[in-house]
Amino acid sequence: MNKQIKLLQSKEELIEQALEICLAKIQEAISQRGQCTIALAGGNTPRPLYESIATQNLPWDKIHVFWGDERYVAPDHSDSNQKMARQAWLDRVPIPPTNIHAMPTGAGDPEADADSHDAHLRDFFQVSPGDVPSFDLILLGMGGDAHTASLFPHTDALQISDRLITVGNKDGQPRLTFTVPLINQAGCVIFLVAGADKQAALDQVFAEKGDEMKYPSRLIQSKGELHWLLTGVNI
Ligand code: 6PG
């Protein structure tokens, strides 16, 4: 693992830094493998990053977009992570609709939707049962409780190691989420963390020893590059 922590002076600088890494990774993946696979985060912090990516002239047909987690709501619901990313980025660029791999939320059964997206990922990446595909880039946020994606403290999702997608649980509400092994297999993971309300969680996540079940972001130890881009906190 190649872990880098950067403390930026402002949200604008954080987004600039994130954009730089994203563009480099997109270019690298396309030149090496002919396509780039990216998983997006929800929350407010990444929105300006998505808006900036939308202004770039990129080979959109070679970029495949996924989500690291999704609330269990319809795609046009105001809580939908997909909706936010479509508004800020995907609806503004000529990306082929088949390159947008949203998490399904329409079965009325989160387990069934998790199964079908798990199968979709296995099929897309052509991985054998038991193998874990490697995303080129995964963007993550972190909540004040140290959750990331929809891996919430003390929930079953944290321990799932034989699936790519599972059902997370926020205060009894189901979410779909990437599992820890899938995130950790990525070539590059970027955490975007802004604001003093993240300080206490960050201290626990960066502490040498700690409880992964209580502070789930501690579980993210990706095999590739791991970037923590921070602003508004002390380290
Ligand atoms: C949620 C939020 C959450 C979010 C983090 C960070 O679904 O509970 O979307 O997962 O990503 O709380 O959000 P900010 O980056 O906006 O602080």
Side-chain angles (χ1 to χ4, degrees):
M1 182 184 54
N2 170 3
K3 177 168 163 183
Q4 296 189 29
I5 302 174
K6 263 201 183 160
L7 182 57
L8 288 315
Q9 293 304 314
S10 64
K11 279 193 189 171
E12 289 71 25
E13 276 188 32
L14 179 144
I15 297 303
E16 248 172 60
Q17 190 61 226
L19 180 66
E20 197 175 298
I21 300 170
C22 288
L23 295 178
K25 291 290 147 192
I26 291 170
Q27 198 178 25
E28 183 185 298
I30 293 174
S31 68
Q32 290 177 2
R33 289 176 288 286
Q35 67 175 19
C36 179
T37 50
I38 309 179
L40 307 186
N44 292 316
T45 313
R47 184 191 295 267
L49 173 63
Y50 301 161
E51 290 169 347
S52 294
I53 295 177
T55 67
Q56 308 290 315
N57 186 11
L58 296 174
W60 299 110
D61 58 321
K62 297 188 171 64
I63 297 175
H64 285 263
V65 176
F66 300 75
W67 278 261
D69 74 316
E70 186 57 275
R71 288 107 178 248
Y72 203 66
V73 296
D76 59 351
H77 192 284
S78 56
D79 287 345
S80 165
N81 288 339
Q82 176 188 171
K83 181 175 182 183
M84 186 278 267
R86 282 188 186 274
Q87 285 180 334
W89 167 4
L90 303 170
D91 289 350
R92 303 180 182 194
V93 301
I95 186 168
T98 48
N99 287 22
I100 300 176
H101 306 262
M103 286 178 159
T105 56
D109 174 0
E111 297 285 349
D113 277 320
D115 280 352
S116 84
H117 201 54
D118 193 289
H120 175 69
L121 290 191
R122 291 192 176 283
D123 182 53
F124 177 84
F125 286 99
Q126 293 284 297
V127 286
S128 329
D131 283 352
V132 179
S134 182
F135 274 85
D136 294 308
L137 183 57
I138 298 183
L139 303 176
L140 295 174
M142 185 184 77
D145 59 357
H147 84 266
T148 189
S150 281
L151 299 166
F152 288 90
H154 302 295
T155 57
D156 295 343
L158 303 182
Q159 317 230 39
I160 303 293
S161 60
D162 58 348
R163 302 174 53 93
L164 307 178
I165 305 295
T166 191
V167 180
N169 177 329
K170 172 161 192 193
D171 304 330
Q173 294 300 314
R175 311 269 190 105
L176 299 195
T177 185
F178 278 17
T179 57
V180 173
L182 178 57
I183 298 173
N184 282 345
Q185 195 67 19
C188 180
V189 172
I190 310 177
F191 270 96
L192 305 175
V193 178
D197 56 322
K198 308 289 167 75
Q199 184 71 58
L202 200 65
D203 291 344
Q204 295 296 334
V205 172
F206 285 175
E208 204 176 315
K209 287 193 179 148
D211 181 352
E212 276 94 7
M213 295 299 111
K214 192 165 178 195
Y215 304 106
S217 295
R218 292 183 65 90
L219 291 163
I220 307 309
Q221 306 287 344
S222 49
K223 66 149 207 194
E225 292 174 29
L226 174 59
H227 296 268
W228 281 88
L229 303 183
L230 314 171
T231 192
V233 292
N234 299 307
I235 47 170

